[in-house]
Amino acid sequence: MNLDILENDPSGKGASEKRVKLTFVPHLLPMVRGIHATIYVDAKEEFDVSDLYESFYNKEPFVDIMPASTCPDTKSVRASNICRIAPYRERGTNRVIILSVIDNLMKGAAGQAVQNMNIMMGFEEVSGLALGPITP
């Protein structure tokens, strides 16, 4: 779940049938561009968070689920339409921690607009967006 869902659905349900309590923490860091967010969710039951994210996003062309014990960084998505996600379960608790990075000039604005237009117009979702990240 992301902040946009909470803005559009104040109940906090989003894709879930039940209300979801979460804490969303955007970070302001000394970086050229990008957004790094940390989201905390208290899960009601035990599940493999990596498997859940992998299965949910496996067909999404612009979502990259990171391997266990890794951390995404904004440099790795610079000038791309990719959202890189690293989900974790805090040891000994039901707290799920999701780290997420995007390039706010692409995925957060222009790239997202092109992606949405592609879907609305019936074009391939990746048209004009299949560029990989660049490094400084």
Side-chain angles (χ1 to χ4, degrees), residues 92-114:
T93 73
N94 279 339
R95 179 160 288 219
V96 175
I97 302 169
I98 303 120
L99 306 174
S100 172
V101 295
I102 63 168
D103 179 328
N104 57 313
L105 299 180
M106 279 295 289
K107 185 65 175 172
Q112 189 64 47
V114 171

Side-chain angles (χ1 to χ4, degrees), residues 61-62 79-82 105-107 109-119 122-133:
F62 298 112
S80 77
N81 198 51
I82 296 169
L105 299 180
M106 279 295 289
K107 185 65 175 172
Q112 189 64 47
V114 171
Q115 184 178 353
N116 289 340
M117 179 199 68
N118 287 344
I119 293 168
F123 303 142
E124 284 189 48
E125 186 175 352
V126 298
S127 292
L129 297 169
L131 303 171

Side-chain angles (χ1 to χ4, degrees), residues 8-30:
N8 296 321
D9 180 7
S11 71
K13 290 181 183 176
S16 174
E17 294 296 319
K18 299 177 182 173
R19 182 162 171 68
V20 176
K21 181 181 175 188
L22 62 83
T23 304
F24 177 84
V25 182
H27 302 280
L28 179 58
L29 304 169

